[in-house]
Amino acid sequence: MPLRPARADDLPTLTTIYAAAFHDEDLIGALLHPHRDAYPSDYHEYWTKQVREWYWSCNHQLIVTYTTTRTGEEILTGVGDWIRHGPGWESSRGLWGSWDPTIRLRHRISSSWYPNRAADPAMQEAFPKAMAYAQHLWSGPRATGWYLNFIAVDPAHQRQGYGRALVAWGLEQARKENVPASVISGTGKDSFYQRCGFEVLAGRATDGEGNPLKGKVEGGAVWFRDVKAIA
């Protein structure tokens, strides 16, 4: 299954893939963007900003899958954003790799001028706040590793192995470094990640009194593939 690191000229297509793949998903789609059908351009702009920030972040690796037509044209089919966290993160792209520390600030300013009308303002900070309840799961021997942030496959190319290939890329990086890999599964995705090699259910990102996602989404299982499983 062919894959490679994303390039800057891929970003518009990757934005479209993410927007389509998550349109009907219960967290990013329904809960955070209940007005996405009324304001599709705002929903698309949300993903544009996310993809830009990931691409220009020093510890993120955007990996793409693709197919090639008979004429040699490359068609992007999927994308995964892997984060290398903990000591040694600079090895993932190099300390002076492609990154822009100002892009998030520029997006915040833009969002203050042009609010996301597709979103529910009350829920915009729900995901980062929920993550705070699960942060302890990435401590001790799991403080350093690879984390699969968001993965998406173009709906027209799903169930063809592209998702598994994107997961396998990060698991291989973790194996090479002898560090854990982790992911938070979406609704109905637990068995997929188990088949891919995630073996330890460490907790749920939706647990905890006061967690803004508690009882609102069905997903949220935190899966690990620990060092003892990949050594």
Side-chain angles (χ1 to χ4, degrees):
M1 188 66 65
L3 45 73
R4 60 168 173 78
R7 301 187 298 255
D9 60 352
D10 294 329
L11 301 191
T13 301
L14 302 186
T15 294
T16 299
I17 291 174
Y18 271 118
F22 280 86
H23 183 274
D24 296 324
E25 187 262 351
D26 58 352
L27 175 58
I28 304 299
L31 187 64
L32 301 190
H33 292 92
H35 312 299
R36 59 199 181 286
D37 289 330
Y39 299 101
S41 62
D42 288 39
Y43 173 67
H44 194 272
E45 181 64 14
Y46 164 84
W47 282 110
T48 297
K49 292 176 178 177
Q50 290 294 315
V51 171
R52 283 176 183 164
E53 289 182 14
W54 298 338
Y55 180 79
W56 294 108
S57 292
C58 53
N59 65 332
H60 286 242
Q61 280 273 19
L62 271 176
I63 303 299
V64 302
T65 54
Y66 61 93
T67 187
T68 305
T69 67
R70 292 181 178 179
T71 60
E73 180 185 5
E74 190 177 275
I75 306 296
L76 298 182
T77 57
V79 54
D81 178 47
W82 280 93
I83 301 174
R84 175 57 167 84
H85 58 89
W89 61 265
E90 67 278 0
S91 65
S92 65
R93 294 179 67 173
L95 187 59
W96 304 109
S98 300
W99 64 292
D100 182 351
T102 70
I103 194 164
R104 184 167 295 181
L105 174 61
R106 289 186 277 123
H107 283 166
R108 285 176 180 262
I109 294 172
S110 172
S111 295
S112 69
W113 292 342
Y114 305 102
N116 183 354
R117 296 169 297 176
D120 178 354
M123 296 303 298
Q124 283 307 282
E125 296 300 317
F127 186 68
K129 287 180 178 178
M131 284 297 294
Y133 286 83
Q135 201 59 47
H136 66 282
L137 299 174
W138 286 270
S139 60
R142 292 171 172 167
T144 297
W146 285 88
Y147 168 68
L148 180 52
N149 187 27
F150 280 92
I151 183 174
V153 175
D154 187 320
H157 294 93
Q158 289 178 1
R159 301 185 182 278
Q160 297 179 37
Y162 294 110
R164 289 187 68 117
L166 291 165
V167 174
W169 182 91
L171 293 181
E172 177 61 13
Q173 307 313 304
R175 187 196 65 78
K176 290 177 180 178
E177 294 187 46
N178 202 34
V179 296
S182 58
V183 66
I184 300 177
S185 67
T187 300
K189 300 300 183 181
D190 289 344
S191 60
F192 167 74
Y193 288 116
Q194 286 179 287
R195 291 194 301 272
C196 287
F198 289 95
E199 300 168 340
V200 180
L201 177 59
R204 303 191 68 83
T206 54
D207 286 347
E209 193 62 34
N211 189 319
L213 296 183
K214 187 174 184 178
K216 290 186 169 63
V217 293
E218 295 180 17
V222 180
W223 291 95
F224 277 85
R225 186 168 182 181
D226 286 324
V227 169
K228 63 181 180 181
I230 62 177

